[in-house]
Amino acid sequence: MIRNTFGSRQLAAQAVVAGDRAIATLVAGRSNRWLLITLTATLTITAAVTSIVGLGSVAQIFDSIGLDMGGDAVRVDPRHWLAIGEHLSGSKHSATRVTSLSASPVSLVEQLIIPFEYLAGGRPSETRFRENNIALGTNVVYELNGTNNGIARLVRGGTAALTNITVNVQQYYDDNVIARPPLFRPWWKPLTLNIAAASPEIPLILDLKDLCRGITIIQDSDVGMVTDVINKIGLRGSRSSIIGGGSLLNFKEWARGQEYRSGGDVFASPGGGVVHINFQESGRLANCLNPTQDASLALYFDAQPTAAAGATQTNIRVLLHLLQRNPQVRAGDGQYITAPDAMMPKDLIGLSNAA
């Protein structure tokens, strides 16, 4: 029995409640391509606000949107998903964001992509997401900010309210288990670096244990995304210098230069407030950062606290896009070493997984 190679499913998502976590449960046993998360809300301004925070995206009102794979969980700042989605896309995403201090009401819409396979990958199927054990299940987990539905993360001053907040999740997958199984499983690791004072070289140790195919960087503060924290950037280890060639690069120029690698709007809208670098260039996994080649990789920043009005805390938020080796798959021919019963729906157990 061969199943649909281009499957998709609308998932049942729990209602959004401020300050609480809610879930949408993935259909188990699939080789997942990506997740599409649609966020909507109604913004009503009754007295003109004084400022729009960050990108004016409804994604900003969520504390986190991540995955829970049978208790193995990762919580991600939704702005990281925005950045990686824009970077991997061939053009700017469609969205309805806050653009006016007085217009009301506004029906806000934002779509986030959690990418498992990269469509421009040399063999995208090698990095589709499969759970360790389908009996435990995998959930998309989202948490709305608990203070007035996170309105202060979207607009400030004046009088405004957020209502009709919804989360909808679509799962895109290949459930043809006769096909070659994924060689790696995507996962993520968030890191936060507090910037308490100006310094010409502040290290952030990556502590890689898996392949790293990308890094997303946000200049952040307690008043939202900013653009004046990082002056220069470098990435190096004990054996190699990847960004900067031993010194540090001008961050603005480097961030703007990522547009050459991506068709998305990766600089103009955020102004360098968030930037992604893709190591899986030309779709090749061999280009990813490999901890076995250099185990002491670290990002280095010439940075200082933001001068944004009202800011008392400044952070650099980093998301590592990792690839965890599937221990059940043999390198070279991509076949299972052992019977993958735990990873397969019951009605498919016993079928060959040879390509």
Side-chain angles (χ1 to χ4, degrees), residues 37-318:
I37 302 175
T38 303
L39 310 175
T40 64
T42 300
L43 172 66
T44 302
I45 300 174
T46 53
V49 299
T50 57
S51 64
I52 298 170
V53 178
L55 300 174
S57 169
V58 67
Q60 297 169 183
I61 69 176
F62 287 83
D63 287 341
S64 65
I65 297 178
L67 292 178
D68 187 323
M69 181 181 61
D72 188 3
V74 60
R75 300 175 64 187
V76 176
D77 187 318
R79 296 171 298 176
H80 280 128
W81 298 133
L82 276 180
I84 183 63
E86 294 284 8
H87 189 97
L88 295 177
S89 297
S91 62
K92 179 177 172 59
H93 282 185
S94 298
T96 303
R97 299 172 177 171
V98 186
T99 58
S100 170
L101 299 178
S102 58
S104 180
V106 181
S107 297
L108 304 175
V109 182
E110 193 74 66
Q111 289 191 311
L112 310 181
I113 297 290
I114 298 182
F116 303 128
E117 67 175 21
Y118 283 9
L119 299 182
R123 182 177 288 169
S125 61
E126 289 183 329
T127 63
R128 292 174 183 167
F129 177 88
R130 293 287 294 269
E131 51 271 277
N132 283 336
N133 189 331
I134 65 171
L136 297 178
T138 300
N139 296 318
V140 177
V141 184
Y142 43 95
E143 183 175 359
L144 178 65
N145 185 262
T147 305
N148 298 323
N149 291 336
I151 188 69
R153 296 185 174 189
L154 193 63
V155 293
R156 298 210 166 198
T159 306
L162 283 166
T163 56
N164 304 321
I165 302 169
T166 66
V167 174
N168 289 288
V169 182
Q170 292 182 353
Q171 177 183 358
Y172 290 81
Y173 55 84
D174 176 359
D175 61 359
N176 175 13
V177 296
I178 303 299
R180 182 172 306 203
L183 188 60
F184 294 94
R185 178 177 54 230
W187 203 246
W188 297 270
K189 179 181 178 180
L191 300 171
T192 300
L193 179 64
N194 177 256
I195 307 299
S199 175
E201 190 168 285
I202 308 173
L204 176 61
I205 307 301
L206 302 187
D207 191 25
L208 291 179
K209 300 294 189 298
D210 303 295
L211 290 181
C212 179
R213 62 174 171 176
I215 298 176
T216 311
I217 301 168
I218 297 176
Q219 300 184 69
D220 201 24
S221 74
D222 53 350
V223 295
M225 183 187 297
V226 291
T227 61
D228 63 342
V229 177
I230 305 174
N231 304 310
K232 297 179 182 180
I233 185 173
L235 173 60
R236 62 179 182 265
S238 59
R239 301 181 182 178
S240 57
S241 181
I242 298 165
I243 298 176
S247 59
L248 301 185
L249 291 181
N250 180 284
F251 182 78
K252 284 277 189 182
E253 295 174 9
W254 175 81
R256 190 185 296 272
Q258 301 312 305
E259 292 186 333
Y260 177 68
R261 305 167 184 241
S262 167
D265 177 8
V266 298
F267 182 84
S269 291
V274 57
V275 63
H276 177 80
I277 179 167
N278 178 24
F279 296 116
Q280 196 181 332
E281 287 192 341
S282 303
R284 300 185 62 188
L285 295 177
N287 291 335
C288 296
L289 298 184
N290 191 335
T292 64
Q293 296 174 333
D294 198 328
S296 58
L297 288 170
L299 285 165
Y300 293 88
F301 300 100
D302 177 331
Q304 66 277 314
T306 181
T312 60
Q313 295 181 350
T314 299
N315 297 292
I316 297 174
R317 301 190 185 277
V318 169

Side-chain angles (χ1 to χ4, degrees), residues 27-39:
V27 178
R30 275 43 177 179
S31 290
N32 293 287
R33 297 173 179 272
W34 67 85
L35 301 176
L36 174 66
I37 302 175
T38 303
L39 310 175

